[in-house]
Amino acid sequence: MSIIEELQALQVGGVADAQAAPDLATLEAVRVGYLGKKGSLTAILRGLGGLTAEERPAVGKVANEIRAAMEAAIDVRGRELEAKALEARVSAEAVDVTLPGRRRTPGRVHLIDQVVREVTDIFVGLGYRVAEGPEAELDYYNFTALNTPPDHPARSLADTFYIRDLSGEEATVAGESDVLLRTHTSPVQVRVMEAQVPPIYAIMPGRVYRRDIADPSHLPQFNQIEGLVVDEGITFGDLKGTLEHFVREVFGADRRTRIRPHFFPFTEPSAEVDVSCGICAGHGCRFCKSSGWLEILGCGMVDPNVFGHVGIDPAVYSGFAFGMGAERIAALRYDIPDLRVLIEGDMRFLRQF
Ligand code: 2U9
């Protein structure tokens, strides 16, 4: 075979190899194999030195044409493969802009917290300060300082969650645990009175715990909101006026209130406040058990014995206190017949508020 024939055979093979390369890496291997420093075309061209001066221009011309033809074939195949790779990537990363979007449901404040905040805000608007305290509380603050005697039923294991210290080093009251889950937020008021001098105008929202089985009107854990006022010359009239304002703000001006005598160990006198039933307007229905009234809170004048525990002189100061369950207020305001739905987390219920 003449060197020209050899070159032509090389061109046929090289162009075919380039056209057949399945990907860019193979194509590069083809280029290096023919045109690289150690490539076959390069090797032949090196052999040109052995030709005569007459032969050299013709062979050189053919060799250059072949190099150009091969470079062109590699270039064409390279573009083809790049286009194919781009197409593959575009189709792999394709987004169907006609698909419907994902619906995002923004979170919102739970109904219970809405009520806690709203009630708290009403009293903040009257100049009260918000106070908080521990949920795991000492027996002293939860009961003793609140004039609740040692044999009071609220202290019993059946009504209160006591916390046992497994280290065995717990403080005890008559052999029982001294630490409990607070049954009301009243211990916060005791702490406030210990720490501050009157005048005191304070509102205490917080979680409380009672050893109850959940039923339509009881939850073993709920949110209480209590208020405390201690100042010179505070009367039962101040208590009534304050609570009437509160009821109008929460339930609307068209609802009536009434106040009935009651008993609490920490207030004397004590009372309960009812609001007229919003469903039957006071005429009597199932919701208000035919009475026309719904009980919304307890209240009273702070018992002088409570003042004695915190060193406030009852000859100088008097005060009132009140307490309500946020879940109960929510249920009465939105006609929810069973408190348990408030804590079940059923979105069909929660979305309504
Ligand atoms: C101090 C003195 C007095 C807070 C009060 C009530 C009446 C009351 C209940 C309502 C429904 C609890 O959530 S409930 O079960 N609360 O009726 N709470 S007077 O009296 C205090 C508090 C602290 C130092």
PDB file of all heavy atoms in Angstrom, residues 176-214:
ATOM      1  N   GLU A 176     -46.735  13.133 102.463  1.00  0.00           N
ATOM      2  CA  GLU A 176     -47.099  13.253 101.048  1.00  0.00           C
ATOM      3  C   GLU A 176     -46.108  14.163 100.343  1.00  0.00           C
ATOM      4  O   GLU A 176     -45.416  14.970 100.972  1.00  0.00           O
ATOM      5  CB  GLU A 176     -48.507  13.853 100.913  1.00  0.00           C
ATOM      6  CG  GLU A 176     -49.626  13.008 101.512  1.00  0.00           C
ATOM      7  CD  GLU A 176     -49.791  11.678 100.785  1.00  0.00           C
ATOM      8  OE1 GLU A 176     -49.354  11.585  99.610  1.00  0.00           O
ATOM      9  OE2 GLU A 176     -50.334  10.744 101.384  1.00  0.00           O
ATOM     10  N   SER A 177     -46.087  14.068  99.002  1.00  0.00           N
ATOM     11  CA  SER A 177     -45.187  14.928  98.238  1.00  0.00           C
ATOM     12  C   SER A 177     -45.564  16.395  98.432  1.00  0.00           C
ATOM     13  O   SER A 177     -46.734  16.752  98.511  1.00  0.00           O
ATOM     14  CB  SER A 177     -45.272  14.580  96.759  1.00  0.00           C
ATOM     15  OG  SER A 177     -44.590  15.567  96.026  1.00  0.00           O
ATOM     16  N   ASP A 178     -44.541  17.237  98.491  1.00  0.00           N
ATOM     17  CA  ASP A 178     -44.721  18.664  98.691  1.00  0.00           C
ATOM     18  C   ASP A 178     -44.852  19.394  97.352  1.00  0.00           C
ATOM     19  O   ASP A 178     -45.106  20.575  97.301  1.00  0.00           O
ATOM     20  CB  ASP A 178     -43.476  19.164  99.430  1.00  0.00           C
ATOM     21  CG  ASP A 178     -43.692  20.539 100.017  1.00  0.00           C
ATOM     22  OD1 ASP A 178     -44.858  20.947 100.118  1.00  0.00           O
ATOM     23  OD2 ASP A 178     -42.683  21.185 100.345  1.00  0.00           O
ATOM     24  N   VAL A 179     -44.627  18.646  96.256  1.00  0.00           N
ATOM     25  CA  VAL A 179     -44.636  19.259  94.922  1.00  0.00           C
ATOM     26  C   VAL A 179     -45.804  18.693  94.128  1.00  0.00           C
ATOM     27  O   VAL A 179     -46.069  17.498  94.167  1.00  0.00           O
ATOM     28  CB  VAL A 179     -43.298  18.997  94.185  1.00  0.00           C
ATOM     29  CG1 VAL A 179     -43.274  19.698  92.838  1.00  0.00           C
ATOM     30  CG2 VAL A 179     -42.120  19.439  95.036  1.00  0.00           C
ATOM     31  N   LEU A 180     -46.485  19.560  93.423  1.00  0.00           N
ATOM     32  CA  LEU A 180     -47.678  19.127  92.684  1.00  0.00           C
ATOM     33  C   LEU A 180     -47.793  19.925  91.391  1.00  0.00           C
ATOM     34  O   LEU A 180     -47.073  20.904  91.179  1.00  0.00           O
ATOM     35  CB  LEU A 180     -48.926  19.337  93.564  1.00  0.00           C
ATOM     36  CG  LEU A 180     -49.051  20.671  94.303  1.00  0.00           C
ATOM     37  CD1 LEU A 180     -49.497  21.805  93.390  1.00  0.00           C
ATOM     38  CD2 LEU A 180     -50.041  20.550  95.455  1.00  0.00           C
ATOM     39  N   LEU A 181     -48.687  19.470  90.516  1.00  0.00           N
ATOM     40  CA  LEU A 181     -49.016  20.286  89.341  1.00  0.00           C
ATOM     41  C   LEU A 181     -50.099  21.247  89.796  1.00  0.00           C
ATOM     42  O   LEU A 181     -51.128  20.812  90.325  1.00  0.00           O
ATOM     43  CB  LEU A 181     -49.513  19.399  88.199  1.00  0.00           C
ATOM     44  CG  LEU A 181     -48.458  18.463  87.614  1.00  0.00           C
ATOM     45  CD1 LEU A 181     -49.054  17.624  86.472  1.00  0.00           C
ATOM     46  CD2 LEU A 181     -47.248  19.252  87.100  1.00  0.00           C
ATOM     47  N   ARG A 182     -49.867  22.526  89.640  1.00  0.00           N
ATOM     48  CA  ARG A 182     -50.803  23.513  90.202  1.00  0.00           C
ATOM     49  C   ARG A 182     -52.224  23.247  89.692  1.00  0.00           C
ATOM     50  O   ARG A 182     -52.434  22.895  88.538  1.00  0.00           O
ATOM     51  CB  ARG A 182     -50.349  24.935  89.864  1.00  0.00           C
ATOM     52  CG  ARG A 182     -50.411  25.254  88.381  1.00  0.00           C
ATOM     53  CD  ARG A 182     -49.876  26.646  88.107  1.00  0.00           C
ATOM     54  NE  ARG A 182     -49.962  26.952  86.679  1.00  0.00           N
ATOM     55  CZ  ARG A 182     -49.387  27.998  86.116  1.00  0.00           C
ATOM     56  NH1 ARG A 182     -48.673  28.850  86.828  1.00  0.00           N
ATOM     57  NH2 ARG A 182     -49.522  28.216  84.816  1.00  0.00           N
ATOM     58  N   THR A 183     -53.182  23.392  90.588  1.00  0.00           N
ATOM     59  CA  THR A 183     -54.589  23.123  90.245  1.00  0.00           C
ATOM     60  C   THR A 183     -55.301  24.403  89.844  1.00  0.00           C
ATOM     61  O   THR A 183     -56.448  24.372  89.407  1.00  0.00           O
ATOM     62  CB  THR A 183     -55.316  22.496  91.447  1.00  0.00           C
ATOM     63  OG1 THR A 183     -55.253  23.423  92.544  1.00  0.00           O
ATOM     64  CG2 THR A 183     -54.665  21.184  91.853  1.00  0.00           C
ATOM     65  N   HIS A 184     -54.654  25.531  90.047  1.00  0.00           N
ATOM     66  CA  HIS A 184     -55.169  26.840  89.609  1.00  0.00           C
ATOM     67  C   HIS A 184     -53.973  27.768  89.477  1.00  0.00           C
ATOM     68  O   HIS A 184     -52.850  27.404  89.854  1.00  0.00           O
ATOM     69  CB  HIS A 184     -56.224  27.397  90.577  1.00  0.00           C
ATOM     70  CG  HIS A 184     -55.881  27.264  92.037  1.00  0.00           C
ATOM     71  ND1 HIS A 184     -56.774  27.531  93.046  1.00  0.00           N
ATOM     72  CD2 HIS A 184     -54.727  26.898  92.680  1.00  0.00           C
ATOM     73  CE1 HIS A 184     -56.202  27.332  94.221  1.00  0.00           C
ATOM     74  NE2 HIS A 184     -54.967  26.949  94.027  1.00  0.00           N
ATOM     75  N   THR A 185     -54.190  28.969  88.917  1.00  0.00           N
ATOM     76  CA  THR A 185     -53.058  29.899  88.799  1.00  0.00           C
ATOM     77  C   THR A 185     -52.948  30.792  90.036  1.00  0.00           C
ATOM     78  O   THR A 185     -52.072  31.653  90.095  1.00  0.00           O
ATOM     79  CB  THR A 185     -53.163  30.760  87.509  1.00  0.00           C
ATOM     80  OG1 THR A 185     -54.456  31.348  87.451  1.00  0.00           O
ATOM     81  CG2 THR A 185     -52.924  29.921  86.272  1.00  0.00           C
ATOM     82  N   SER A 186     -53.794  30.536  91.025  1.00  0.00           N
ATOM     83  CA  SER A 186     -53.744  31.356  92.250  1.00  0.00           C
ATOM     84  C   SER A 186     -52.367  31.394  92.925  1.00  0.00           C
ATOM     85  O   SER A 186     -52.018  32.434  93.505  1.00  0.00           O
ATOM     86  CB  SER A 186     -54.796  30.865  93.243  1.00  0.00           C
ATOM     87  OG  SER A 186     -56.051  30.743  92.617  1.00  0.00           O
ATOM     88  N   PRO A 187     -51.555  30.307  92.904  1.00  0.00           N
ATOM     89  CA  PRO A 187     -50.221  30.426  93.518  1.00  0.00           C
ATOM     90  C   PRO A 187     -49.388  31.543  92.904  1.00  0.00           C
ATOM     91  O   PRO A 187     -48.512  32.106  93.579  1.00  0.00           O
ATOM     92  CB  PRO A 187     -49.578  29.053  93.281  1.00  0.00           C
ATOM     93  CG  PRO A 187     -50.437  28.346  92.290  1.00  0.00           C
ATOM     94  CD  PRO A 187     -51.812  28.923  92.445  1.00  0.00           C
ATOM     95  N   VAL A 188     -49.658  31.896  91.639  1.00  0.00           N
ATOM     96  CA  VAL A 188     -48.916  33.015  91.037  1.00  0.00           C
ATOM     97  C   VAL A 188     -49.255  34.316  91.775  1.00  0.00           C
ATOM     98  O   VAL A 188     -48.380  35.146  92.036  1.00  0.00           O
ATOM     99  CB  VAL A 188     -49.237  33.158  89.527  1.00  0.00           C
ATOM    100  CG1 VAL A 188     -48.383  34.253  88.910  1.00  0.00           C
ATOM    101  CG2 VAL A 188     -49.026  31.834  88.799  1.00  0.00           C
ATOM    102  N   GLN A 189     -50.543  34.474  92.127  1.00  0.00           N
ATOM    103  CA  GLN A 189     -50.935  35.692  92.870  1.00  0.00           C
ATOM    104  C   GLN A 189     -50.207  35.754  94.205  1.00  0.00           C
ATOM    105  O   GLN A 189     -49.777  36.815  94.647  1.00  0.00           O
ATOM    106  CB  GLN A 189     -52.447  35.703  93.156  1.00  0.00           C
ATOM    107  CG  GLN A 189     -53.310  36.109  91.994  1.00  0.00           C
ATOM    108  CD  GLN A 189     -53.780  34.914  91.215  1.00  0.00           C
ATOM    109  OE1 GLN A 189     -52.965  34.143  90.733  1.00  0.00           O
ATOM    110  NE2 GLN A 189     -55.082  34.764  91.078  1.00  0.00           N
ATOM    111  N   VAL A 190     -50.089  34.602  94.879  1.00  0.00           N
ATOM    112  CA  VAL A 190     -49.400  34.587  96.168  1.00  0.00           C
ATOM    113  C   VAL A 190     -47.953  35.045  95.971  1.00  0.00           C
ATOM    114  O   VAL A 190     -47.432  35.889  96.723  1.00  0.00           O
ATOM    115  CB  VAL A 190     -49.440  33.180  96.805  1.00  0.00           C
ATOM    116  CG1 VAL A 190     -48.677  33.179  98.129  1.00  0.00           C
ATOM    117  CG2 VAL A 190     -50.892  32.727  97.016  1.00  0.00           C
ATOM    118  N   ARG A 191     -47.307  34.514  94.912  1.00  0.00           N
ATOM    119  CA  ARG A 191     -45.918  34.913  94.641  1.00  0.00           C
ATOM    120  C   ARG A 191     -45.822  36.407  94.314  1.00  0.00           C
ATOM    121  O   ARG A 191     -44.871  37.087  94.716  1.00  0.00           O
ATOM    122  CB  ARG A 191     -45.346  34.080  93.491  1.00  0.00           C
ATOM    123  CG  ARG A 191     -45.120  32.613  93.864  1.00  0.00           C
ATOM    124  CD  ARG A 191     -44.682  31.793  92.648  1.00  0.00           C
ATOM    125  NE  ARG A 191     -44.440  30.394  92.989  1.00  0.00           N
ATOM    126  CZ  ARG A 191     -43.315  29.932  93.521  1.00  0.00           C
ATOM    127  NH1 ARG A 191     -42.315  30.764  93.777  1.00  0.00           N
ATOM    128  NH2 ARG A 191     -43.166  28.652  93.786  1.00  0.00           N
ATOM    129  N   VAL A 192     -46.806  36.918  93.550  1.00  0.00           N
ATOM    130  CA  VAL A 192     -46.809  38.349  93.212  1.00  0.00           C
ATOM    131  C   VAL A 192     -46.940  39.188  94.492  1.00  0.00           C
ATOM    132  O   VAL A 192     -46.224  40.173  94.685  1.00  0.00           O
ATOM    133  CB  VAL A 192     -47.964  38.672  92.221  1.00  0.00           C
ATOM    134  CG1 VAL A 192     -48.210  40.182  92.130  1.00  0.00           C
ATOM    135  CG2 VAL A 192     -47.659  38.114  90.838  1.00  0.00           C
ATOM    136  N   MET A 193     -47.841  38.754  95.404  1.00  0.00           N
ATOM    137  CA  MET A 193     -48.039  39.535  96.633  1.00  0.00           C
ATOM    138  C   MET A 193     -46.818  39.469  97.551  1.00  0.00           C
ATOM    139  O   MET A 193     -46.530  40.427  98.275  1.00  0.00           O
ATOM    140  CB  MET A 193     -49.290  39.062  97.372  1.00  0.00           C
ATOM    141  CG  MET A 193     -50.573  39.457  96.652  1.00  0.00           C
ATOM    142  SD  MET A 193     -52.046  39.242  97.661  1.00  0.00           S
ATOM    143  CE  MET A 193     -52.152  37.492  97.765  1.00  0.00           C
ATOM    144  N   GLU A 194     -46.110  38.328  97.520  1.00  0.00           N
ATOM    145  CA  GLU A 194     -44.874  38.219  98.317  1.00  0.00           C
ATOM    146  C   GLU A 194     -43.813  39.176  97.796  1.00  0.00           C
ATOM    147  O   GLU A 194     -43.015  39.716  98.554  1.00  0.00           O
ATOM    148  CB  GLU A 194     -44.295  36.786  98.208  1.00  0.00           C
ATOM    149  CG  GLU A 194     -44.856  35.800  99.210  1.00  0.00           C
ATOM    150  CD  GLU A 194     -44.142  34.449  99.123  1.00  0.00           C
ATOM    151  OE1 GLU A 194     -43.341  34.241  98.179  1.00  0.00           O
ATOM    152  OE2 GLU A 194     -44.402  33.611 100.005  1.00  0.00           O
ATOM    153  N   ALA A 195     -43.793  39.338  96.460  1.00  0.00           N
ATOM    154  CA  ALA A 195     -42.684  40.061  95.831  1.00  0.00           C
ATOM    155  C   ALA A 195     -42.948  41.557  95.674  1.00  0.00           C
ATOM    156  O   ALA A 195     -42.009  42.328  95.521  1.00  0.00           O
ATOM    157  CB  ALA A 195     -42.384  39.448  94.454  1.00  0.00           C
ATOM    158  N   GLN A 196     -44.232  41.964  95.689  1.00  0.00           N
ATOM    159  CA  GLN A 196     -44.538  43.368  95.405  1.00  0.00           C
ATOM    160  C   GLN A 196     -45.375  43.969  96.522  1.00  0.00           C
ATOM    161  O   GLN A 196     -46.094  43.258  97.215  1.00  0.00           O
ATOM    162  CB  GLN A 196     -45.345  43.485  94.104  1.00  0.00           C
ATOM    163  CG  GLN A 196     -44.593  43.015  92.879  1.00  0.00           C
ATOM    164  CD  GLN A 196     -45.507  42.960  91.654  1.00  0.00           C
ATOM    165  OE1 GLN A 196     -46.513  43.661  91.589  1.00  0.00           O
ATOM    166  NE2 GLN A 196     -45.146  42.133  90.698  1.00  0.00           N
ATOM    167  N   VAL A 197     -45.294  45.286  96.625  1.00  0.00           N
ATOM    168  CA  VAL A 197     -46.191  45.965  97.561  1.00  0.00           C
ATOM    169  C   VAL A 197     -47.364  46.534  96.761  1.00  0.00           C
ATOM    170  O   VAL A 197     -47.219  46.837  95.594  1.00  0.00           O
ATOM    171  CB  VAL A 197     -45.458  47.094  98.328  1.00  0.00           C
ATOM    172  CG1 VAL A 197     -44.418  46.500  99.263  1.00  0.00           C
ATOM    173  CG2 VAL A 197     -44.817  48.082  97.364  1.00  0.00           C
ATOM    174  N   PRO A 198     -48.548  46.630  97.399  1.00  0.00           N
ATOM    175  CA  PRO A 198     -49.689  47.206  96.696  1.00  0.00           C
ATOM    176  C   PRO A 198     -49.384  48.657  96.307  1.00  0.00           C
ATOM    177  O   PRO A 198     -48.545  49.283  96.953  1.00  0.00           O
ATOM    178  CB  PRO A 198     -50.819  47.134  97.727  1.00  0.00           C
ATOM    179  CG  PRO A 198     -50.375  46.118  98.738  1.00  0.00           C
ATOM    180  CD  PRO A 198     -48.880  46.193  98.773  1.00  0.00           C
ATOM    181  N   PRO A 199     -50.045  49.221  95.317  1.00  0.00           N
ATOM    182  CA  PRO A 199     -51.174  48.635  94.590  1.00  0.00           C
ATOM    183  C   PRO A 199     -50.755  47.532  93.610  1.00  0.00           C
ATOM    184  O   PRO A 199     -49.740  47.660  92.936  1.00  0.00           O
ATOM    185  CB  PRO A 199     -51.757  49.829  93.825  1.00  0.00           C
ATOM    186  CG  PRO A 199     -50.633  50.802  93.682  1.00  0.00           C
ATOM    187  CD  PRO A 199     -49.764  50.610  94.890  1.00  0.00           C
ATOM    188  N   ILE A 200     -51.566  46.459  93.563  1.00  0.00           N
ATOM    189  CA  ILE A 200     -51.322  45.349  92.647  1.00  0.00           C
ATOM    190  C   ILE A 200     -52.545  45.202  91.739  1.00  0.00           C
ATOM    191  O   ILE A 200     -53.674  45.094  92.225  1.00  0.00           O
ATOM    192  CB  ILE A 200     -51.090  44.037  93.424  1.00  0.00           C
ATOM    193  CG1 ILE A 200     -49.773  44.114  94.228  1.00  0.00           C
ATOM    194  CG2 ILE A 200     -51.079  42.832  92.472  1.00  0.00           C
ATOM    195  CD1 ILE A 200     -49.601  42.975  95.223  1.00  0.00           C
ATOM    196  N   TYR A 201     -52.301  45.254  90.448  1.00  0.00           N
ATOM    197  CA  TYR A 201     -53.354  44.970  89.454  1.00  0.00           C
ATOM    198  C   TYR A 201     -52.724  43.958  88.492  1.00  0.00           C
ATOM    199  O   TYR A 201     -51.888  44.327  87.667  1.00  0.00           O
ATOM    200  CB  TYR A 201     -53.776  46.244  88.712  1.00  0.00           C
ATOM    201  CG  TYR A 201     -54.544  47.218  89.604  1.00  0.00           C
ATOM    202  CD1 TYR A 201     -53.868  48.047  90.508  1.00  0.00           C
ATOM    203  CD2 TYR A 201     -55.937  47.292  89.552  1.00  0.00           C
ATOM    204  CE1 TYR A 201     -54.562  48.917  91.339  1.00  0.00           C
ATOM    205  CE2 TYR A 201     -56.640  48.165  90.383  1.00  0.00           C
ATOM    206  CZ  TYR A 201     -55.954  48.971  91.270  1.00  0.00           C
ATOM    207  OH  TYR A 201     -56.641  49.835  92.090  1.00  0.00           O
ATOM    208  N   ALA A 202     -53.068  42.679  88.647  1.00  0.00           N
ATOM    209  CA  ALA A 202     -52.345  41.649  87.885  1.00  0.00           C
ATOM    210  C   ALA A 202     -53.314  40.642  87.273  1.00  0.00           C
ATOM    211  O   ALA A 202     -54.369  40.343  87.831  1.00  0.00           O
ATOM    212  CB  ALA A 202     -51.354  40.937  88.801  1.00  0.00           C
ATOM    213  N   ILE A 203     -52.926  40.112  86.101  1.00  0.00           N
ATOM    214  CA  ILE A 203     -53.725  39.083  85.414  1.00  0.00           C
ATOM    215  C   ILE A 203     -52.795  37.897  85.140  1.00  0.00           C
ATOM    216  O   ILE A 203     -51.655  38.096  84.729  1.00  0.00           O
ATOM    217  CB  ILE A 203     -54.376  39.661  84.116  1.00  0.00           C
ATOM    218  CG1 ILE A 203     -55.325  38.676  83.460  1.00  0.00           C
ATOM    219  CG2 ILE A 203     -53.346  40.162  83.114  1.00  0.00           C
ATOM    220  CD1 ILE A 203     -56.718  38.704  84.034  1.00  0.00           C
ATOM    221  N   MET A 204     -53.245  36.684  85.469  1.00  0.00           N
ATOM    222  CA  MET A 204     -52.366  35.509  85.334  1.00  0.00           C
ATOM    223  C   MET A 204     -53.017  34.435  84.468  1.00  0.00           C
ATOM    224  O   MET A 204     -53.891  33.713  84.954  1.00  0.00           O
ATOM    225  CB  MET A 204     -52.014  34.834  86.665  1.00  0.00           C
ATOM    226  CG  MET A 204     -52.480  35.530  87.903  1.00  0.00           C
ATOM    227  SD  MET A 204     -51.436  36.895  88.317  1.00  0.00           S
ATOM    228  CE  MET A 204     -52.523  37.891  89.253  1.00  0.00           C
ATOM    229  N   PRO A 205     -52.602  34.351  83.226  1.00  0.00           N
ATOM    230  CA  PRO A 205     -53.050  33.241  82.388  1.00  0.00           C
ATOM    231  C   PRO A 205     -52.079  32.072  82.573  1.00  0.00           C
ATOM    232  O   PRO A 205     -50.887  32.296  82.803  1.00  0.00           O
ATOM    233  CB  PRO A 205     -52.924  33.810  80.973  1.00  0.00           C
ATOM    234  CG  PRO A 205     -51.856  34.866  81.064  1.00  0.00           C
ATOM    235  CD  PRO A 205     -51.749  35.309  82.504  1.00  0.00           C
ATOM    236  N   GLY A 206     -52.569  30.845  82.511  1.00  0.00           N
ATOM    237  CA  GLY A 206     -51.629  29.720  82.607  1.00  0.00           C
ATOM    238  C   GLY A 206     -52.327  28.381  82.612  1.00  0.00           C
ATOM    239  O   GLY A 206     -53.517  28.264  82.868  1.00  0.00           O
ATOM    240  N   ARG A 207     -51.511  27.339  82.317  1.00  0.00           N
ATOM    241  CA  ARG A 207     -52.033  25.965  82.297  1.00  0.00           C
ATOM    242  C   ARG A 207     -52.161  25.430  83.717  1.00  0.00           C
ATOM    243  O   ARG A 207     -51.259  25.654  84.539  1.00  0.00           O
ATOM    244  CB  ARG A 207     -51.055  25.067  81.545  1.00  0.00           C
ATOM    245  CG  ARG A 207     -51.518  24.712  80.152  1.00  0.00           C
ATOM    246  CD  ARG A 207     -50.720  23.552  79.620  1.00  0.00           C
ATOM    247  NE  ARG A 207     -49.301  23.839  79.562  1.00  0.00           N
ATOM    248  CZ  ARG A 207     -48.671  24.230  78.449  1.00  0.00           C
ATOM    249  NH1 ARG A 207     -49.320  24.346  77.327  1.00  0.00           N
ATOM    250  NH2 ARG A 207     -47.371  24.467  78.464  1.00  0.00           N
ATOM    251  N   VAL A 208     -53.234  24.733  83.981  1.00  0.00           N
ATOM    252  CA  VAL A 208     -53.432  24.110  85.289  1.00  0.00           C
ATOM    253  C   VAL A 208     -53.872  22.666  85.099  1.00  0.00           C
ATOM    254  O   VAL A 208     -54.262  22.264  83.997  1.00  0.00           O
ATOM    255  CB  VAL A 208     -54.471  24.889  86.133  1.00  0.00           C
ATOM    256  CG1 VAL A 208     -54.042  26.341  86.316  1.00  0.00           C
ATOM    257  CG2 VAL A 208     -55.856  24.821  85.503  1.00  0.00           C
ATOM    258  N   TYR A 209     -53.762  21.877  86.174  1.00  0.00           N
ATOM    259  CA  TYR A 209     -53.971  20.424  86.069  1.00  0.00           C
ATOM    260  C   TYR A 209     -54.892  19.949  87.179  1.00  0.00           C
ATOM    261  O   TYR A 209     -54.731  20.326  88.340  1.00  0.00           O
ATOM    262  CB  TYR A 209     -52.629  19.704  86.195  1.00  0.00           C
ATOM    263  CG  TYR A 209     -51.626  20.155  85.159  1.00  0.00           C
ATOM    264  CD1 TYR A 209     -50.876  21.314  85.359  1.00  0.00           C
ATOM    265  CD2 TYR A 209     -51.457  19.450  83.979  1.00  0.00           C
ATOM    266  CE1 TYR A 209     -49.971  21.758  84.402  1.00  0.00           C
ATOM    267  CE2 TYR A 209     -50.556  19.872  83.012  1.00  0.00           C
ATOM    268  CZ  TYR A 209     -49.813  21.030  83.232  1.00  0.00           C
ATOM    269  OH  TYR A 209     -48.935  21.470  82.280  1.00  0.00           O
ATOM    270  N   ARG A 210     -55.849  19.089  86.810  1.00  0.00           N
ATOM    271  CA  ARG A 210     -56.703  18.491  87.838  1.00  0.00           C
ATOM    272  C   ARG A 210     -56.932  17.033  87.489  1.00  0.00           C
ATOM    273  O   ARG A 210     -57.032  16.679  86.315  1.00  0.00           O
ATOM    274  CB  ARG A 210     -58.044  19.227  87.923  1.00  0.00           C
ATOM    275  CG  ARG A 210     -57.853  20.623  88.499  1.00  0.00           C
ATOM    276  CD  ARG A 210     -59.137  21.324  88.761  1.00  0.00           C
ATOM    277  NE  ARG A 210     -58.845  22.726  89.082  1.00  0.00           N
ATOM    278  CZ  ARG A 210     -59.754  23.656  89.221  1.00  0.00           C
ATOM    279  NH1 ARG A 210     -61.043  23.352  89.094  1.00  0.00           N
ATOM    280  NH2 ARG A 210     -59.406  24.895  89.501  1.00  0.00           N
ATOM    281  N   ARG A 211     -57.043  16.226  88.529  1.00  0.00           N
ATOM    282  CA  ARG A 211     -57.158  14.785  88.281  1.00  0.00           C
ATOM    283  C   ARG A 211     -58.589  14.406  87.915  1.00  0.00           C
ATOM    284  O   ARG A 211     -59.259  13.676  88.636  1.00  0.00           O
ATOM    285  CB  ARG A 211     -56.705  14.036  89.531  1.00  0.00           C
ATOM    286  CG  ARG A 211     -55.906  12.830  89.131  1.00  0.00           C
ATOM    287  CD  ARG A 211     -55.157  12.258  90.256  1.00  0.00           C
ATOM    288  NE  ARG A 211     -55.077  10.824  90.028  1.00  0.00           N
ATOM    289  CZ  ARG A 211     -54.379   9.994  90.738  1.00  0.00           C
ATOM    290  NH1 ARG A 211     -53.699  10.432  91.774  1.00  0.00           N
ATOM    291  NH2 ARG A 211     -54.370   8.728  90.445  1.00  0.00           N
ATOM    292  N   ASP A 212     -59.057  14.953  86.775  1.00  0.00           N
ATOM    293  CA  ASP A 212     -60.415  14.697  86.297  1.00  0.00           C
ATOM    294  C   ASP A 212     -60.345  13.825  85.052  1.00  0.00           C
ATOM    295  O   ASP A 212     -59.372  13.874  84.312  1.00  0.00           O
ATOM    296  CB  ASP A 212     -61.093  16.023  85.889  1.00  0.00           C
ATOM    297  CG  ASP A 212     -61.560  16.830  87.090  1.00  0.00           C
ATOM    298  OD1 ASP A 212     -61.964  16.199  88.081  1.00  0.00           O
ATOM    299  OD2 ASP A 212     -61.506  18.075  87.015  1.00  0.00           O
ATOM    300  N   ILE A 213     -61.396  13.048  84.829  1.00  0.00           N
ATOM    301  CA  ILE A 213     -61.550  12.356  83.553  1.00  0.00           C
ATOM    302  C   ILE A 213     -62.194  13.361  82.593  1.00  0.00           C
ATOM    303  O   ILE A 213     -63.126  14.055  82.985  1.00  0.00           O
ATOM    304  CB  ILE A 213     -62.486  11.125  83.701  1.00  0.00           C
ATOM    305  CG1 ILE A 213     -61.984  10.182  84.795  1.00  0.00           C
ATOM    306  CG2 ILE A 213     -62.671  10.412  82.377  1.00  0.00           C
ATOM    307  CD1 ILE A 213     -60.728   9.423  84.440  1.00  0.00           C
ATOM    308  N   ALA A 214     -61.659  13.435  81.356  1.00  0.00           N
ATOM    309  CA  ALA A 214     -62.235  14.381  80.397  1.00  0.00           C
ATOM    310  C   ALA A 214     -63.692  14.021  80.129  1.00  0.00           C
ATOM    311  O   ALA A 214     -64.030  12.856  79.920  1.00  0.00           O
ATOM    312  CB  ALA A 214     -61.434  14.353  79.096  1.00  0.00           C
TER     313      ALA A 214
END
